[in-house]
Amino acid sequence: MLAAHHAFVCSSVSINMADARAAARDIVAQMNFTEMASLLQGVGFRGTDPLMGHYVGNLPGVPRLGIPPIYMQDSSAGFRTYWDWMVGTVTVWPC
C-alpha cells in the first residue's frame, strides 16, 4: 500500500492519497448497488463470449457521477478482435 503522502497526477491535477481516498469515498457513497456491482462485474457477455459491440472487458461507467466507461481488450500477443470494426479502436503495446 502506498503511503498517504504520495501524490498522483492526472492531467494537470495533482492530489495526495488522503484527498483521493476521501473523494473516492464521497463518490461511492452516492452510488446505488447496481452501479457499484456493474463496476465490479462488467457488462456485455453471454457465457464466455462478448455480445456484439462489446470488448473483452466493459465497465459501463456512471455518467451521472462523471465516471466514464472503460473498454478493455486482451490477448497474449496484443489485441484480440472479435469483429473487423474493432481493428484500430485500441492502442496495442508490443509484448
Side-chain angles (χ1 to χ4, degrees):
M1 179 147 79
L2 295 173
H5 67 274
H6 286 239
F8 290 90
V9 177
C10 178
S11 268
S12 61
V13 177
S14 179
I15 185 170
N16 66 46
M17 285 299 294
D19 291 343
R21 285 187 182 105
R25 279 198 262 332
D26 290 344
I27 289 173
V28 171
Q30 297 175 61
M31 295 172 71
N32 63 46
F33 179 79
T34 302
E35 291 167 335
M36 287 187 269
S38 73
L39 295 178
L40 295 174
Q41 142 185 355
V43 296
F45 267 80
R46 180 173 294 124
T48 58
D49 296 319
L51 299 174
M52 178 58 87
H54 287 86
Y55 292 82
V56 168
N58 303 279
L59 298 177
V62 183
R64 71 180 186 86
L65 296 176
I67 301 172
I70 298 174
Y71 307 114
M72 299 169 278
Q73 197 65 300
D74 73 336
S75 178
S76 58
F79 177 63
R80 171 181 53 166
T81 62
Y82 280 90
W83 302 283
D84 289 342
W85 65 264
M86 286 183 159
V87 175
T89 64
V90 299
T91 301
V92 179
W93 302 103
C95 296

